[in-house]
Amino acid sequence: MLKIGSHVSYGKDGLLGSLEEALSYGANTFMFYTGAPTNTIRKDIDTDLTLKAQELMQEKDINSDDIICHAPYIVNLANKSDLDKFNFSINFIKNELERCRKLGIKYMVLHPGSAVGISKSEGLKNIIEALNKIIMEDDYTMILLETMAGKGSECNTNLEELKTLIEGVKLKDKIGVCLDTCHLNDSGIDMGLFDDYLEEFDKLIGIDKIHCIHINDSKNELGSHKDRHENIGFGTIGFDNLIKIIYNSKLEGVPKILETPYIGNFDGDKERLYPPYKFEIEMIKNKIFDKDILEKIRAYYR
Ligand code: FE
Ligand code: FE
Ligand code: ZN
């Protein structure tokens, strides 16, 4: 069965709000941050609302194991120059894993980090040290390392780096991978040749390590190292290539999550932004590209 959803907001109703938003898009999975992705301020988990979310999931036949959490992207485990900050990041991610446990969420995506002012190998070493301090035997939630575009000094931008990271982690059954199609394209992997990539991935890492795929088109050329997501079918990867990845039989049970940009629309002189997910999900289910979809989204939300 196709597992398709998008990034959704968290907000005051916590997981319940995220679930309701996902349902409104016709999704059967989703991804959320347990607070703002750009800061580390976190509210306590509301047990009542979490219970309500779990009940609604059951009613709507959504498996909580398919739901993905994303760690805030400002946390940088690659840098150790400020030891207080490094330790704060470690404790913060540990705390996020505990929040996931309370929410009943099995997977948390993490941007491994950027090697600012140090070598890549130094950065990878720091990430491994941090991961080994974070990951514990009795953790409920698994960290998924996201494949990155190679913007600036980002780590985990090719299979060799990913292999280094995974080999460095002591508790190997507690670490997994999240692919991101835009990031792969921008890092230099041709998404038209995805099967070759997957074969190589399986040889080096193992396909069973993949527990989430971010489905995004890219605004930039292959190997641009930019990381700017585009709506499905409007970028350099293209609709057909993305559909082939989404429906790849080797990745059937893996949740596919859209992180495509909101659609802008000028209302007077004020720009409003609309979520494209309901329409992109429908298009993916139909497997037919609709070149007029952006106008339809504007009309729907107007
Ligand atoms: Fe991400
Ligand atoms: Fe992503
Ligand atoms: Zn990205």
Side-chain angles (χ1 to χ4, degrees):
M1 188 190 56
L2 174 66
K3 293 174 183 172
I4 183 86
S6 70
H7 152 71
V8 295
S9 53
Y10 187 68
K12 64 173 183 7
D13 281 348
L15 191 61
L16 183 62
S18 306
L19 173 63
E20 282 167 345
E21 185 181 339
L23 290 170
S24 79
Y25 300 149
N28 58 1
T29 172
F30 59 91
M31 181 176 81
F32 66 101
Y33 292 82
T34 78
T38 48
N39 69 43
T40 52
I41 301 161
R42 291 294 179 265
K43 241 177 24 190
D44 283 346
I45 304 283
D46 184 316
T47 327
D48 273 357
L49 285 172
T50 307
L51 265 169
K52 273 190 195 143
Q54 279 155 355
E55 273 169 25
L56 186 56
M57 270 180 230
Q58 221 159 37
E59 193 188 307
K60 300 289 180 186
D61 221 10
I62 290 181
N63 187 344
S64 61
D65 290 355
D66 294 336
I67 297 167
I68 311 287
C69 178
H70 198 306
Y73 45 73
I74 47 146
V75 171
N76 185 7
L77 300 179
N79 239 302
K80 233 179 99 176
S81 54
D82 182 339
L83 212 57
D84 284 344
K85 224 170 149 186
F86 185 64
N87 287 327
F88 174 83
S89 299
I90 288 170
N91 285 323
F92 181 78
I93 297 295
K94 269 176 171 300
N95 210 29
E96 286 285 272
L97 289 179
E98 272 318 299
R99 291 163 69 76
C100 284
R101 184 204 296 273
K102 283 186 190 148
L103 292 166
I105 301 299
K106 238 179 162 170
Y107 300 108
M108 184 175 80
V109 173
L110 176 75
H111 295 183
S114 287
V116 185
I118 52 174
S119 68
K120 264 275 180 83
S121 65
E122 197 84 18
L124 292 169
K125 220 179 79 195
N126 292 339
I127 295 166
I128 290 167
E129 182 186 332
L131 288 173
N132 281 325
K133 285 183 172 149
I134 292 165
I135 301 169
M136 295 290 138
E137 194 82 65
D138 62 351
D139 283 349
Y140 176 78
T141 306
M142 180 189 283
I143 289 178
L144 306 181
L145 302 171
E146 180 162 353
T147 59
M148 303 309 288
K151 195 172 68 179
S153 47
E154 271 174 348
C155 295
N156 200 28
T157 59
N158 58 51
L159 283 174
E160 288 68 40
E161 290 177 24
L162 178 60
K163 191 178 160 76
T164 301
L165 287 175
I166 289 178
E167 276 181 351
V169 173
K170 288 189 189 114
L171 298 168
K172 296 218 169 15
D173 56 329
K174 291 272 189 279
I175 192 85
V177 179
C178 171
L179 303 181
D180 183 310
T181 54
C182 168
H183 297 177
L184 287 175
N185 171 80
D186 291 13
S187 78
I189 307 288
D190 185 348
M191 290 295 92
L193 305 170
F194 183 76
D195 284 336
D196 294 348
Y197 172 77
L198 204 58
E199 203 175 297
E200 191 67 15
F201 188 103
D202 197 34
K203 261 190 244 152
L204 286 170
I205 319 281
I207 287 184
D208 57 333
K209 283 271 180 227
I210 303 170
H211 294 287
C212 179
I213 306 178
H214 290 166
I215 302 291
N216 304 304
D217 216 324
S218 174
K219 284 194 197 294
N220 292 287
E221 295 303 318
L222 181 68
S224 61
H225 303 296
K226 285 272 178 39
D227 189 4
R228 288 188 66 215
H229 302 184
E230 181 55 286
N231 292 103
I232 303 303
F234 291 90
T236 54
I237 300 174
F239 189 75
D240 293 345
N241 285 332
L242 289 168
I243 285 292
K244 275 186 211 146
I245 296 167
I246 293 165
Y247 288 95
N248 188 305
S249 61
K250 289 182 179 154
L251 300 167
E252 209 198 329
V254 178
K256 319 287 186 319
I257 304 288
L258 300 163
E259 300 174 304
T260 47
Y262 275 40
I263 308 302
N265 187 38
F266 278 95
D267 191 358
D269 55 358
K270 192 169 167 277
E271 191 184 23
R272 291 175 187 276
L273 292 171
Y274 306 129
Y277 307 122
K278 177 181 156 60
F279 290 83
E280 287 183 329
I281 287 171
E282 205 177 274
M283 203 165 65
I284 286 165
K285 285 179 181 168
N286 295 335
K287 302 184 194 174
I288 297 167
F289 180 56
D290 179 355
K291 62 175 180 22
D292 301 321
I293 201 164
L294 303 184
E295 254 332 298
K296 285 178 186 164
I297 294 168
R298 290 186 186 105
Y300 179 82
Y301 285 104
R302 192 136 46 204

